[in-house]
Amino acid sequence: MRAPIELEGVCYAFGTGELARPVLRDVHLSVGPGEIVLLTGPSGSGKTTLLTLIGALRAMQTGRCTVLGQELMGASEAARVRLRRRIGFIFQHNNLLGFLTARQNVAMTLELVPASGEAERLAHAGAMLEAVGLGDRADVLPSKLSGGQRQRVAVARALVGGPGLVLADEPTAALDRQTGHEVMELLRDLAKQRGVPILMVTHDPRIVDLADRVVAIEDGRVV
């Protein structure tokens, strides 16, 4: 059985020719089912670029990258779009729509499932908010939620579609120590229950103890 994420000899550069600036250099990485892996390293070391390649948000340049069974080297834009629909994304800034309730923000993800009706989507979103401890805040606008609660909504939105993989970019950076730890514990518990791997870029040393493994990147290389 293949790992959900497998990278071999991945290189990436911004620009072309003499202006090319290497960002990733011969990266090898594997993440197993249900595993929580943190990517750490200095700013500009290539962590977020690596995350966007794995998330099929950028086209591959060199090497092999297989995500949830899809080889991304040479993959078409249509294939990358299909893969993105199977991945849950969580970012530092939760990007919730302010004119929608927590429930509606979470349900938006399910609009990509053509067979589901609105009532079904809202019910499923409500159940997911219950799972992240926000069942009583489902019909509240983001402006009425705390920073930690908004990030919990973002976690619910990432997980509601049953993704095969969760990619997170600094999800606890804007939160205080206790709230950040709570959000990370929530992610860990939900991931373990569902066997979903999490790959997370972070500078936050407070959450290292909740990961299965820490991968350090410096100057575009795994060290």
Side-chain angles (χ1 to χ4, degrees):
M1 180 177 171
R2 302 191 69 167
I5 299 176
E6 292 183 348
L7 281 74
E8 297 176 8
V10 171
C11 301
Y12 193 86
F14 291 122
T16 57
E18 294 181 358
L19 298 177
R21 181 173 66 86
V23 180
L24 297 174
R25 311 164 192 262
D26 194 30
V27 173
H28 294 256
L29 178 68
S30 178
V31 178
E35 189 176 21
I36 299 175
V37 177
L38 303 186
L39 289 177
T40 66
S43 296
S45 59
K47 304 183 300 299
T48 296
T49 299
L50 181 58
L51 203 71
T52 56
L53 283 173
I54 293 170
L57 297 170
R58 298 182 190 274
M60 288 281 296
Q61 291 179 347
T62 307
R64 295 187 63 250
C65 178
T66 304
V67 179
L68 301 179
Q70 169 69 56
E71 172 56 55
L72 289 176
M73 186 62 193
S76 65
E77 175 63 17
R80 290 194 289 126
V81 168
R82 286 194 297 271
L83 178 60
R84 288 199 291 268
R85 291 175 177 170
R86 300 170 60 200
I87 298 173
F89 294 92
I90 306 171
F91 301 100
Q92 175 179 344
H93 303 292
N94 46 71
N95 298 326
L96 301 180
L97 295 177
F99 58 90
L100 297 180
T101 65
R103 187 197 309 270
Q104 290 167 330
N105 268 284
V106 174
M108 279 188 65
T109 300
L110 299 173
E111 291 182 9
L112 297 173
V113 182
S116 63
E118 182 179 5
E120 181 184 356
R121 291 195 297 268
L122 290 171
H124 195 21
M128 194 69 238
L129 285 168
E130 190 76 43
V132 302
L134 288 178
D136 61 337
R137 309 290 282 166
D139 297 313
V140 174
L141 293 174
S143 61
K144 303 298 183 182
L145 299 173
S146 68
Q149 288 173 334
R150 288 194 293 271
Q151 197 63 303
R152 283 173 179 263
V153 175
V155 169
R157 182 180 57 190
L159 295 176
V160 71
L165 167 66
V166 172
L167 300 178
D169 194 359
E170 298 280 7
T172 64
L175 305 177
D176 61 47
R177 177 185 179 88
Q178 180 178 347
T179 306
H181 213 266
E182 288 173 355
V183 168
M184 186 63 190
E185 286 181 327
L186 172 69
L187 268 174
R188 179 196 62 186
D189 293 346
L190 292 172
K192 296 301 182 184
Q193 290 168 14
R194 293 167 168 77
V196 178
I198 296 177
L199 182 62
M200 179 185 300
V201 168
T202 186
H203 288 103
D204 191 348
R206 305 168 299 178
I207 61 174
V208 169
D209 60 313
L210 296 175
D212 296 309
R213 184 158 49 105
V214 177
V215 174
I217 298 182
E218 290 184 14
D219 195 27
R221 293 185 172 89
V222 172
V223 296

